[in-house]
Amino acid sequence: MIWSALKQRCKDASNTRIKSLFDSDTDRLASFSIECDGLYLDYSKTNIDLSTRNLLIHLVSSKNVGQYRETMFTGKRINFTEDRPVLHTLERNTEGPEVMIDGKAINKEVQRAQDKFLSFAEAIREGRVLTCNGTKFTDVINIGIGGSDLGPKMVTKALTPYADGPRIHFLSNIDGAQIFDLTRGLDPQTTLVIVASKTFTTLETMTNALQVKHWLTGYLGTEAGKHMCAISNAREKCLEWDIPEERIFTFGESIGGRYSIWSAIGMSAVIALGRNNFEHFHNGGKSMDCHFRTAPAHANLPIMLALVGIWHNQICGYSTRSVIPYEERMEYFPDYLQQLEMESNGKVVKFDQTEIQLPSGPVIWGGTGTNGQHAYFQHLHQSNIITPCEFLVGAMGHEKDFQIHHDYLVANCLAQSEALMCGTLSEVSQNLPNYRNFKGNRPSITLLYKMLTPHVLGQLIALYEHRVFVEGVVLGINSFDQWGVELGKGLAQKIYPLIKDENQREEGFSKSLEELISKAHSFRKNSV
Ligand code: F6P
């Protein structure tokens, strides 16, 4: 009922120019923007008007988002396909209300795990934990993939101005090229290796970890263990790897990989940035949690961001969403959001086992501005495919000596959303040839903040986490499992022996796969 009313609104709105909504509603900007703890969201440059918004908000109440939200924060087993609660918000708020799991309060246990990895990170930074030669570690390799890589990699890069610890490097891909290039430039005598894997079974991570262990052992012999530590939920498996108990940093089973940056998985970032900055980052997340739990829907950043997303994807049918931070250091933010959103909500099976009849979330992609302006923005402005854009920008940069750069950066960001909305048709003389015209009327939202600090980054990540949650609840899907990644992983294990040994055979594969395998073997033979 609400969905069909929304579809009708979409049809009706197709003849309305976004720009004209500002004329018909002089309070539009005030109504279609939200500011919370220094984070300002402007979603006025969309074709959502007051009646559409009312319908969208009705969707939130009819799907009991508020009730689900509380079940998440209070530790109920909402990840029902894995029979787990969802506890990443507790990682950033251990001193908050007790969260009870199976009748047991777990805040203190989580706090102890946090203290253990935070103290270790500080000890590395301060030189209280040293290399086997008694010197300070200068470099750290975080070996992990997916959530055990993207979060710490994105945060470490985004907060570069705060980094005063050892240099952090990330190793994720099974491609030997990455490990080769990385280790070639590093000195094992001064490098600490973190094996970050929740399960401690992930093919890429364990293969890379074994290789790096050999690399360390080649130089350090039996002392190599002093250069390794592990972050995992699988303590026993870490022990089997000869990682001593005091170097195993655990986090709860109920922290999903893509939500794990708040836990020990964030350790490489803490080694770079220090405990204080990580606490500011946590506080930013906590501030967003508080806002999410208390603000009414129309003034609630995650709820409104989710509803804008639902409007564009499920109602208007725009199949992709571009995330464009005007922050070079946020280079990995689109990748991070890709996992967060697409691994969480790229599904069709609902709570009740039926399938959703709507698109199952947009393709998330993007890159930093202004670089993207010189690559894919042509398509955003003049193609016949509409891509809702999400711009992020800090009013100030960290580099006081580069003010002119920052002024241009902000100007460019604001110019793009204005150009996308306004186009040229109504303003510019009719004499322009068609190829010079911009139809405009392309939706975007802008997130503006003072400066990219640890607090702001914490807010932003929590904002997007909760947005994904709201979208999931409204669609009726479990955002916290990822069964969709299993099939390909399993097949790769079956195909591996056939790649390794050309005499191996396996029945039941497609003709295309058989031919690709045999071609790969013949290319190998013909290679010089
Ligand atoms: O491939 C899916 C996935 O399970 C992600 O959800 C996760 O972040 C990643 O693999 C890495 O998993 P792990 O931390 O267990 O190595």
Side-chain angles (χ1 to χ4, degrees):
M1 182 65 183
I2 308 175
W3 290 112
S4 46
L6 279 164
K7 286 266 181 205
Q8 189 55 48
R9 292 290 316 155
C10 178
K11 270 192 200 144
D12 298 345
S14 61
N15 296 322
T16 310
R17 289 191 64 83
I18 298 170
K19 196 163 175 270
S20 73
L21 296 174
F22 287 88
D23 306 327
S24 51
D25 174 6
T26 48
D27 285 336
R28 179 166 176 80
L29 189 59
S31 318
F32 292 82
S33 59
I34 305 172
E35 188 167 349
C36 160
D37 188 17
L39 196 55
Y40 177 74
L41 166 69
D42 173 2
Y43 65 101
S44 64
K45 294 195 190 84
T46 64
N47 65 359
I48 298 172
D49 62 11
L50 282 173
S51 24
T52 302
R53 189 174 71 184
N54 287 342
L55 278 173
L56 287 166
I57 288 177
H58 191 32
L59 205 53
V60 168
S61 50
S62 72
K63 300 287 178 183
N64 296 322
V65 170
Q67 206 178 314
Y68 270 99
R69 179 180 58 198
E70 290 318 296
T71 57
M72 174 173 74
F73 278 100
T74 52
K76 304 288 177 304
R77 292 180 184 274
I78 58 168
N79 178 1
F80 73 97
T81 60
E82 297 175 321
D83 191 27
R84 289 176 192 159
V86 168
L87 293 179
H88 55 279
T89 56
L90 177 60
E91 290 285 331
R92 52 194 185 230
N93 194 19
T94 48
E95 74 283 12
E98 289 289 2
V99 172
M100 310 291 289
I101 305 295
D102 301 330
K104 189 176 150 224
I106 58 160
N107 297 42
K108 288 214 167 61
E109 195 185 308
V110 175
Q111 186 54 60
R112 269 197 299 276
Q114 290 256 346
D115 282 339
K116 185 176 170 185
F117 86 82
L118 291 170
S119 308
F120 182 76
E122 284 295 278
I124 295 287
R125 287 169 55 80
E126 290 166 9
R128 282 180 286 112
V129 169
L130 293 169
T131 69
C132 58
N133 301 317
T135 60
K136 276 179 100 170
F137 284 103
T138 57
D139 293 87
V140 175
I141 305 178
N142 183 89
I143 308 178
I145 196 163
S148 302
D149 167 67
L150 290 166
K153 184 164 79 174
M154 185 271 285
V155 168
T156 305
K157 176 84 195 269
L159 299 179
T160 302
Y162 300 86
D164 55 4
R167 291 177 290 268
I168 315 293
H169 313 270
F170 292 90
L171 176 58
S172 53
N173 204 316
I174 192 82
D175 186 347
Q178 195 185 15
I179 197 168
F180 177 81
D181 291 350
L182 178 60
T183 50
R184 204 167 46 154
L186 284 178
D187 180 359
Q189 312 274 354
T190 55
T191 301
L192 175 75
V193 173
I194 302 174
V195 184
S197 173
K198 180 177 168 183
T199 54
F200 232 65
T201 57
T202 303
L203 173 77
E204 294 89 337
T205 303
M206 300 329 291
T207 311
N208 280 330
L210 200 60
Q211 197 62 244
V212 171
K213 195 177 177 184
H214 290 324
W215 174 71
L216 285 178
T217 311
Y219 291 90
L220 311 176
T222 51
E223 299 277 63
K226 292 193 176 153
H227 286 229
M228 290 191 78
C229 65
I231 308 170
S232 182
N233 177 239
R235 190 180 143 271
E236 297 299 324
K237 291 201 174 75
C238 299
L239 290 171
E240 283 164 25
W241 262 68
D242 291 333
I243 311 256
E245 186 77 57
E246 68 277 11
R247 291 225 174 175
I248 302 173
F249 304 97
T250 54
F251 60 103
E253 174 110 276
S254 304
I255 313 293
R258 53 196 176 274
Y259 299 89
S260 62
I261 178 61
W262 313 97
S263 72
I265 288 290
M267 190 161 75
S268 49
V270 185
I271 294 175
L273 308 167
R275 183 175 184 152
N276 267 353
N277 284 317
F278 199 65
E279 275 164 13
H280 291 311
F281 172 71
H282 267 187
N283 285 338
K286 209 159 52 174
S287 155
M288 186 54 67
D289 293 342
C290 177
H291 166 79
F292 179 45
R293 288 180 89 172
T294 52
H298 72 276
N300 192 304
L301 281 164
I303 291 181
M304 287 319 304
L305 201 55
L307 292 177
V308 170
I310 287 167
W311 171 251
H312 284 149
N313 180 249
Q314 280 82 17
I315 309 295
C316 301
Y318 303 141
S319 58
T320 87
R321 176 195 298 158
S322 189
V323 182
I324 312 163
Y326 274 66
E327 297 269 6
E328 189 51 27
R329 295 185 180 117
M330 289 282 265
E331 182 188 0
Y332 301 125
F333 195 61
D335 296 2
Y336 179 82
L337 290 188
Q338 246 171 20
Q339 189 198 15
L340 182 64
E341 302 223 12
M342 295 172 77
E343 194 166 85
S344 296
N345 288 346
K347 304 162 186 169
V348 291
V349 179
K350 295 198 284 185
F351 299 144
D352 63 6
Q353 300 295 304
T354 60
E355 290 196 4
I356 58 170
Q357 302 302 317
L358 295 156
S360 50
V363 172
I364 309 293
W365 62 283
T368 58
T370 58
N371 288 358
Q373 291 178 204
H374 301 272
Y376 56 84
F377 272 51
Q378 163 68 43
H379 187 283
L380 297 179
H381 285 286
Q382 281 190 318
S383 81
N384 59 6
I385 293 170
I386 305 287
T387 302
C389 294
E390 303 201 341
F391 295 101
L392 292 96
V393 68
M396 290 165 66
H398 286 275
E399 292 68 33
K400 296 210 168 43
D401 293 343
F402 294 82
Q403 191 58 40
I404 185 171
H405 292 253
H406 205 78
D407 291 345
Y408 270 127
L409 184 77
V410 176
N412 270 278
C413 178
L414 305 186
Q416 290 302 325
S417 59
E418 194 73 358
L420 284 166
M421 174 173 75
C422 299
T424 50
L425 283 183
S426 50
E427 291 88 356
V428 178
S429 87
Q430 300 300 314
N431 296 333
L432 277 181
N434 286 347
Y435 57 80
R436 299 276 317 261
N437 274 330
F438 293 69
K439 289 186 177 161
N441 208 26
R442 287 157 197 243
S444 71
I445 61 123
T446 301
L447 277 162
L448 178 68
Y449 40 85
K450 183 173 174 182
M451 191 156 78
L452 189 61
T453 61
H455 186 92
V456 167
L457 188 63
Q459 285 177 291
L460 287 172
I461 297 175
L463 167 63
Y464 276 89
E465 284 176 353
H466 294 323
R467 173 220 213 147
V468 167
F469 172 81
V470 173
E471 287 172 344
V473 174
V474 168
L475 294 175
I477 53 173
N478 176 11
S479 302
F480 299 103
D481 61 12
Q482 57 285 319
W483 297 103
V485 301
E486 297 302 327
L487 181 62
K489 276 190 201 172
L491 259 180
Q493 291 292 4
K494 283 195 179 157
I495 295 171
Y496 171 71
L498 313 187
I499 300 291
K500 201 173 164 213
D501 174 2
E502 69 172 318
N503 298 315
Q504 291 268 336
R505 291 282 171 273
E506 175 82 41
E507 297 293 304
F509 289 145
S510 71
K511 287 275 169 268
S512 162
L513 175 57
E514 280 173 7
E515 181 59 15
L516 286 167
I517 293 171
S518 113
K519 272 263 178 265
H521 284 299
S522 70
F523 282 154
R524 281 181 178 186
K525 275 189 210 143
N526 296 338
S527 67
V528 277

